[in-house]
């Protein structure tokens, strides 16, 4: 407010002129004005601007008025301000949320003067267009503002003073527009800002009454219905007695899904002028991709109801992607498959054929598996890490893709074999060792056969078989 400077407006005007001429505006004007000057300079407002830009021509402004939410409130707003503006040689304007003037009325001679600076229908009075002023600054501050004479940033506006107050929609908490009363510098008393603030609150109370009536009708229709009642703007009206949703949720257009405060998805169904909110039934988890690669036969992959026999190359690609769940670049995957002889273009052809079988499971950039993977060789690694020898040897059907020449898979295959043998020899029971001895690598494993002859009774058929194999060797 300006009550502390009205006693000596000449002195205050002098301080403002000094502030305009200084490189550091503050502490010349009031802090809220100084802050507005800063925003205006940042927006690139030209000090040579003499007229506010036109955003709605005469053929457009009528349509904008009729569709604006303040149009039904015109009698309330203008009834309180028109007569005062006319009697005191002032004008009153009502703008949209961006500062575009939609309605203007008041003293005829003052309106003719206002036309010279674009304080007229269709012109834009945002801070970013004409700098500090009662309309644009009130819209930014979301509170009533009085701007006196040289407090305007632009010299062309120094003959004016104005008081503006924003109107905030109680339904959405969004600014709908601004009420402003403007006049020549010394004719507009700073107390005018209290008047426009009161009229803005009166308009907001009318909006609130209309909102409450809409809510009442919507609640009546909602009785005995399921779900949660949501207004068209996202306010929670009924059906949430614990208040878990808060006061408002995001409404994505005319309906559909929205993210609730707990992170879950909510389904919004149109209902009269609002929505009914439901939590959609949980979608079934997608099936895992099951890979069986520890055997002497053909590698297989199972996805849902489909079981596929894989070519050696496709099995290698799936095994490498399963071993690297965060993905591999084309160069990395090519190197792991072919070594230094790798060629990413050859790999792309294989990936294309693999996708023809599995669709979206195989993603690119990087190459990775978009599915939960259950692979026997990955499970074997986990079992060995926890020394569950019986489960490990039962799962093991043979080396990992024994015919693969991939450098990475050969290394992985050798490590698995070493870990399995070491775990069995250190912690395995005779039954575990005998199970392993039936596999491709275990049939002629000298240490395993020796261990069996020591751990089993001499007359046990398994000991006799182990001894026989040692003799043959």
């Amino acid at each position: 407010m300006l009550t502390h400077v009205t006693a000596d407006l000449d002195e205050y005007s002098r301080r403002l002129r000094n502030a305009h001429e200084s490189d550091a505006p503050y502490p010349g004007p009031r802090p809220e004005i100084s802050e507005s000057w800063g925003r205006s300079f940042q927006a690139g407002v030209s000090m040579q601007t003499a007229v506010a830009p036109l955003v709605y021509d005469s053929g457009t402004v009528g349509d904008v008025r009729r569709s604006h939410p303040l149009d039904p409130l015109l009698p309330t707003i203008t009834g309180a301000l028109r007569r005062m503006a006319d009697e005191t040689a002032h004008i009153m304007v009502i703008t949209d949320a961006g500062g575009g003037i939609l309605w203007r009325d008041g003293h005829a001679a003052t309106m003719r003067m206002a036309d010279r600076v674009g304080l007229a229908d269709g012109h834009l009075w945002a801070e970013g267009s004409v700098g500090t002023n009662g309309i644009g600054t009130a819209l930014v501050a979301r509170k009533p503002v009085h701007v006196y004479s040289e407090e305007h940033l632009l010299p062309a506006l120094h003959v004016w003073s104005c008081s503006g107050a924003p109107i905030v929609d109680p339904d959405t908490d969004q600014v709908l527009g601004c009420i402003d009363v403007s006049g020549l510098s010394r004719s507009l008393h700073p107390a005018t800002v209290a008047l426009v603030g009161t009229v803005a609150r009166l308009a907001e109370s009318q909006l609130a009454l209309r909102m409450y009536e809409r809510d009442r009708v919507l609640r009546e229709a909602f009785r005995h219905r399921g779900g949660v009642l949501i207004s068209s703007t996202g306010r929670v009206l009924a059906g949430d007695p614990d208040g878990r949703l808060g006061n408002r949720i995001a409404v994505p257009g005319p309906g559909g899904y929205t993210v609730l405060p707990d992170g879950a998805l909510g389904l919004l169904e149109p209902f009269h002028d609002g929505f009914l909110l439901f939590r959609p039934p949980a979608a079934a988890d997608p099936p895992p991709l099951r890979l069986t690669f520890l055997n002497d036969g053909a590698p297989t992959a199972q996805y849902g109801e489909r079981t596929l026999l894989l070519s050696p190359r496709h099995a290698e690609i799936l095994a490498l992607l399963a071993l690297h769940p965060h993905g591999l670049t084309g160069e990395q995957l090519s190197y792991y498959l072919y070594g230094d002889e790798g060629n990413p273009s050859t790999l792309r052809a294989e990936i294309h054929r693999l996708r023809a079988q599995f669709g979206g499971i195989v993603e690119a950039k990087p190459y990775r598996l978009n599915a939960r993977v259950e692979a026997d060789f990955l499970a074997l690694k986990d079992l060995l890490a926890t020394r569950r020898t019986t489960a490990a040897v039962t799962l093991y059907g043979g080396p990992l893709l024994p015919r693969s020449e991939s450098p990475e898979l050969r290394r992985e295959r050798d490590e698995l074999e070493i870990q399995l043998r070491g775990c069995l020899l250190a912690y395995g029971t005779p039954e575990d060792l005998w199970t392993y001895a039936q596999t491709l690598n275990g049939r002629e494993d000298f240490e395993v056969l020796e261990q069996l002859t020591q751990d089993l009774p001499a007359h046990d058929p398994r000991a006799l078989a182990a001894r026989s194999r040692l003799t043959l060797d």
Side-chain angles (χ1 to χ4, degrees):
M1 298 291 292
L2 281 169
T3 53
H4 63 293
V5 297
T6 52
D8 193 348
L9 286 177
D10 290 333
E11 171 61 19
Y12 187 58
S13 293
R14 184 189 64 77
R15 287 170 51 201
L16 288 170
R17 287 192 294 273
N18 290 339
H20 276 285
E21 296 168 1
S22 170
D23 291 332
Y26 186 77
R30 294 173 289 145
E32 62 184 335
I33 299 300
S34 181
E35 291 168 4
S36 175
W37 284 11
R39 290 192 299 267
S40 303
F41 283 127
Q42 276 192 324
V45 175
S46 170
M47 297 295 287
Q48 279 67 53
T49 300
V51 181
L54 183 70
V55 289
Y56 303 129
D57 59 27
S58 57
T60 304
V61 70
D63 293 335
V64 178
R65 287 170 178 160
R66 284 186 289 272
S67 63
H68 197 275
L70 292 183
D71 182 66
L73 304 182
L74 275 183
T76 298
I77 299 172
T78 59
L81 293 176
R82 180 191 291 133
R83 183 175 178 181
M84 181 277 293
D86 189 51
E87 290 178 351
T88 56
H90 298 149
I91 63 172
M92 55 147 286
V93 299
I94 304 171
T95 78
D96 61 14
I101 296 179
L102 300 182
W103 295 277
R104 185 185 73 160
D105 205 342
H107 191 266
T110 307
M111 287 196 291
R112 287 193 294 271
M113 292 183 62
D115 289 341
R116 300 172 188 172
V117 293
L119 192 58
D121 293 351
H123 290 263
L124 182 64
W125 283 77
E127 267 191 352
S129 299
V130 292
T132 303
N133 70 91
I135 296 169
T137 303
L139 289 172
V140 173
R142 287 177 62 112
K143 66 179 183 179
V145 170
H146 182 79
V147 179
Y148 164 74
S149 185
E150 288 100 336
E151 288 184 327
H152 290 92
L153 183 69
L154 300 183
L157 303 180
H158 288 180
V159 298
W160 292 91
S161 290
C162 47
S163 292
I167 299 176
V168 179
D169 187 350
D171 188 359
T172 65
D173 196 41
Q174 299 297 310
V175 174
L176 297 177
C178 181
I179 304 171
D180 175 83
V181 172
S182 294
L184 298 181
S185 298
R186 302 271 177 132
S187 68
L188 188 73
H189 194 278
T192 309
V193 72
L195 174 63
V196 295
T198 299
V199 176
R201 301 296 82 74
L202 180 62
E204 290 173 356
S205 69
Q206 292 294 315
L207 290 169
L209 289 173
R210 293 166 185 257
M211 178 187 73
Y212 295 146
E213 178 59 20
R214 292 194 304 270
D215 290 352
R216 184 192 65 77
V217 173
L218 202 52
R219 287 191 178 98
E220 284 290 328
F222 175 70
R223 286 186 179 182
H224 312 301
R225 300 294 296 261
V228 180
L229 182 62
I230 307 293
S231 75
S232 60
T233 56
R235 288 180 299 107
V236 180
L237 300 181
D240 183 35
D242 298 330
R244 295 181 180 179
L245 295 175
N247 295 324
R248 186 184 296 274
I249 65 170
V251 177
Y257 290 95
T258 185
V259 179
L260 302 178
D262 61 2
L265 281 180
L267 175 63
L268 287 169
E269 294 184 356
F271 177 74
H272 292 261
D273 292 329
F275 300 97
L276 293 180
L277 171 67
F278 299 95
R279 290 182 183 262
D285 291 335
L289 174 65
R290 293 189 173 93
L291 304 177
T292 305
F293 290 175
L294 295 176
N295 56 53
D296 297 335
T300 63
Q302 181 181 354
Y303 188 70
E305 302 298 323
R306 302 170 59 205
T307 300
L308 300 173
L309 295 177
L310 300 172
S311 69
R313 186 63 74 206
H314 287 176
E316 289 173 332
I317 293 172
L318 290 175
L320 288 169
L321 295 180
L323 287 165
H324 298 86
H326 296 297
L328 296 169
T329 65
E331 289 75 13
Q332 289 173 322
L333 185 53
S334 178
Y335 177 76
Y336 287 157
L337 274 174
Y338 308 109
D340 292 329
E341 306 299 322
N343 185 339
S345 62
T346 304
L347 173 66
R348 283 194 290 271
E350 293 289 352
I351 292 289
H352 179 75
R353 287 189 283 269
L354 190 59
R355 280 180 170 163
Q357 288 185 295
F358 289 97
I361 289 181
V362 182
E363 293 191 349
K365 297 182 180 181
Y367 292 120
R368 62 188 183 90
L369 295 174
N370 183 23
R372 181 165 52 92
V373 178
E374 294 180 1
D376 51 3
F377 58 93
L378 297 178
L380 179 62
K381 291 165 68 81
D382 292 339
L383 293 172
L384 294 175
T386 53
R387 300 177 183 177
R388 287 178 283 173
T389 56
T390 300
V393 77
T394 301
L395 175 66
Y396 179 79
L400 171 62
L401 300 178
R403 296 173 183 80
S404 173
E405 293 299 321
S406 157
E408 180 77 358
L409 291 178
R410 286 170 59 187
R411 182 189 63 78
E412 188 70 25
R413 181 170 62 222
D414 291 344
E415 284 188 6
L416 271 179
E417 293 298 317
I418 292 170
Q419 292 171 5
L420 178 61
R421 287 185 72 256
C423 192
L424 288 172
L425 290 169
Y427 308 107
T429 65
E431 288 74 18
D432 296 339
L433 292 169
W434 177 250
T435 301
Y436 179 69
Q438 310 316 303
T439 65
L440 177 65
N441 287 345
R443 287 187 62 81
E444 298 178 355
D445 190 305
F446 181 84
E447 287 187 76
V448 170
L449 296 174
E450 279 280 354
Q451 190 72 35
L452 281 169
T453 62
Q454 295 173 17
D455 293 348
L456 292 171
H459 59 276
D460 190 299
R462 294 170 295 178
L464 294 173
R467 228 184 304 350
S468 172
R469 293 182 198 175
L470 287 171
T471 303
L472 290 175
D473 290 342

